[in-house]
């Protein structure tokens, strides 16, 4: 089975939303959602980036957002959340991440280097990298950034669409380009520099165009969007325009294909009945723009509606089979499935 390293999932949020269920969710007993240990094994899921994400009370709940994604749409973003409110939630999710390693007796491992990811893969252990989607839990002094780094944080998006003290994110709009307002604040530029210093990868997936340009100007690392698609195929504000893809290519960066139906379908709808054609169109476009070495997968499992053909993590082999039938050779399939991510992380963390 082709083993997959994935750029983005929201399992930690799902565990946090049902704390008394977390053992049942992780063991697969609870079912539902897209990720658990047995289905990861069934799907060849070798590892990935696990996001800490703090939902806003009520309005920021992903289910509410998802329900509002009926094109054309322009969802209002929830207001800025104070670090004092976000920090306990972020800590709880970091705790869930470390709990998975403890609870599963050697089936899941916290990794902070590519050597550790490869060692986990060789041992048949799921490799987890800690990511933070939106830096609400980090105050202007950045002390919490260092604490989370000590907990294993190696990837961070300064914003999840909702504004933070570090910048403005891209709102969920369809159809819309990503040029929706101001980008990073001065504090945000400081956060980027400190992440560079700590070798924490910066994720541009939820930044708007101005924020993207700010990271391009300030950061010394290749540009990465862990879970975003091609705007040329699906004109969502969350997708990357051709100039953004060119900038990512220029820096030797990386894009992970987001499986969310609303970011795949040319009509922007959330309908999971999508077939494989849009998936392949995005991949062809991303590979055309970035080259074969800079595209991977960024599922958004447990955060978004999945195409019916994928369903959940156990559907990864079906996707791999479709890539092969589409004419991608074995070497390219392996690059898309995991090797491009591992090479990108090597460039980020070196
Ligand atoms: Zn996201």
């Amino acid at each position: 089975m082709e083993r997959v390293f994935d750029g983005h999932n929201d399992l930690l949020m799902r565990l946090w939303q049902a704390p008394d269920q977390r053992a049942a969710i992780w063991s697969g007993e609870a079912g539902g959602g897209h990720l658990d240990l047995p289905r990861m094994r069934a799907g060849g899921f070798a590892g990935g980036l696990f996001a800490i994400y703090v939902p806003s009370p009520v309005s920021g709940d992903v289910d509410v957002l998802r329900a509002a994604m009926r094109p054309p749409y322009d969802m209002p973003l929830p207001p800025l959340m104070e670090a004092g409110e976000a920090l306990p939630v972020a800590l709880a999710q970091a705790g869930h991440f470390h709990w998975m390693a403890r609870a599963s007796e050697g089936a899941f491992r916290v990794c902070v280097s590519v050597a550790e990811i490869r060692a986990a893969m060789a041992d048949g252990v799921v490799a987890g990298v800690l990511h933070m989607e939106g830096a609400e839990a980090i105050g202007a002094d950045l002390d919490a950034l260092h604490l989370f780094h000590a907990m294993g944080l190696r990837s961070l998006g300064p914003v999840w669409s909702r504004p933070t003290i570090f910048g403005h994110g891209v709102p969920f709009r369809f159809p819309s380009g990503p040029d929706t307002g101001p980008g990073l604040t001065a504090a945000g530029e400081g956060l980027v520099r400190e992440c560079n210093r700590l070798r924490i990868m910066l994720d541009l997936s939820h930044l708007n165009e101005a924020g993207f340009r700010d990271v391009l100007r300030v950061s010394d690392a290749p540009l990465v969007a862990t879970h975003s698609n091609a705007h040329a195929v699906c004109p969502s504000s969350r997708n990357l325009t051709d100039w953004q893809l060119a900038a990512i290519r220029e820096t030797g960066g990386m894009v992970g294909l987001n499986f969310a139906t609303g970011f795949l379908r040319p009509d922007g709808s959330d309908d999971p009945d999508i077939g494989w054609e849009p998936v392949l169109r995005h991949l062809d476009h991303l590979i055309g723009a970035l080259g074969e070495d800079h595209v991977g997968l960024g599922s958004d499992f447990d955060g978004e509606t999945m195409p019916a053909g994928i369903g959940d993590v156990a559907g990864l082999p079906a996707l791999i089979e479709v890539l092969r039938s589409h004419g991608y050779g074995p070497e390219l399939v392996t690059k898309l499935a995991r090797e491009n991510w591992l090479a990108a992380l090597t460039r980020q963390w070196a």
Side-chain angles (χ1 to χ4, degrees):
M1 196 188 320
E2 191 73 46
R3 303 178 74 196
V4 170
F5 188 91
D6 178 42
H8 187 88
N9 76 68
D10 289 303
L11 175 62
L12 299 179
M13 175 188 68
R14 184 163 145 243
L15 294 175
W16 173 78
Q17 285 174 329
D20 348 328
Q21 282 283 303
R22 72 177 184 179
I25 288 172
W26 179 237
S27 72
E29 203 184 302
H34 302 136
L35 290 168
D36 53 44
L37 188 55
R39 283 183 287 172
M40 286 178 188
R41 285 171 165 159
F45 182 95
L49 273 67
F50 288 70
I52 291 171
Y53 164 72
V54 182
S56 291
V58 190
S59 61
D61 185 280
V62 285
D63 293 328
V64 175
L65 288 171
R66 207 180 295 156
M69 282 172 76
R70 300 277 174 271
Y73 58 82
D74 181 2
M75 268 183 273
L77 285 170
L80 189 140
M81 188 185 278
E82 299 294 332
E85 189 182 352
L87 186 57
V89 180
L91 284 173
Q93 293 186 18
H96 295 322
F97 181 70
H98 284 269
W99 168 84
M100 290 193 296
R102 216 164 68 234
S104 55
E105 288 164 17
F108 178 87
R109 205 178 286 165
V110 173
C111 296
V112 297
S113 72
V114 173
E116 288 180 5
I117 295 169
R118 287 201 185 278
M121 283 174 60
D123 295 342
V125 173
V126 175
V129 172
L130 189 58
H131 169 75
M132 184 178 277
E133 180 167 42
E136 279 82 0
I138 296 168
D141 57 21
L142 304 185
D143 288 351
L145 178 70
H146 290 259
L147 288 177
F148 282 102
H149 180 264
M151 293 176 217
L153 187 79
R154 291 297 180 276
S155 173
L156 176 139
V159 291
W160 165 85
S161 294
R162 168 185 57 200
T164 69
I165 59 170
F166 303 110
H168 298 265
V170 73
F172 296 86
R173 274 184 205 164
F174 186 96
S176 170
D179 188 9
T180 57
L184 295 183
T185 61
E189 293 189 12
L191 175 68
V192 167
R193 288 194 192 91
E194 196 62 6
C195 284
N196 282 168
R197 214 176 62 73
L198 293 167
R199 308 317 293 162
I200 293 175
M201 180 172 85
L202 289 154
D203 179 14
L204 286 74
S205 273
H206 284 267
L207 283 173
N208 60 20
E209 184 172 321
F212 185 102
R213 287 184 196 278
D214 289 336
V215 176
L216 175 61
R217 176 171 49 79
V218 175
S219 176
D220 67 9
L223 299 184
V224 171
T226 61
H227 58 305
S228 292
N229 294 337
H231 192 272
V233 179
C234 166
S236 159
S237 55
R238 270 280 281 105
N239 286 340
L240 299 160
T241 58
D242 284 344
W243 89 259
Q244 288 178 306
L245 294 174
I248 291 170
R249 180 184 188 123
E250 193 80 5
T251 62
M254 178 78 192
V255 174
L257 178 84
N258 191 320
F259 301 169
T261 53
F263 305 143
L264 284 170
R265 293 176 66 104
D267 67 5
S269 117
D270 197 34
D271 183 354
D273 185 13
I274 173 179
W276 292 107
E277 202 262 347
V279 175
L280 296 169
R281 274 179 68 194
H282 280 279
L283 278 175
D284 284 343
H285 191 88
L286 292 174
I287 292 167
L290 297 165
E292 294 193 354
D293 295 331
H294 301 276
V295 183
L297 306 178
S299 68
D300 229 339
F301 282 139
D302 281 336
E304 288 283 354
T305 302
M306 293 291 121
I310 297 176
D312 59 29
V313 66
L316 286 173
L319 170 65
I320 298 294
E321 202 39 54
V322 166
L323 303 185
R324 291 187 182 125
S325 326
H326 186 53
Y328 293 167
E331 195 191 344
L332 176 55
V333 169
T334 298
K335 284 181 180 181
L336 296 172
R338 65 177 181 280
E339 288 303 322
N340 285 348
W341 262 126
L342 298 183
L345 294 175
T346 303
R347 292 191 289 273
Q348 293 291 329
W349 295 339

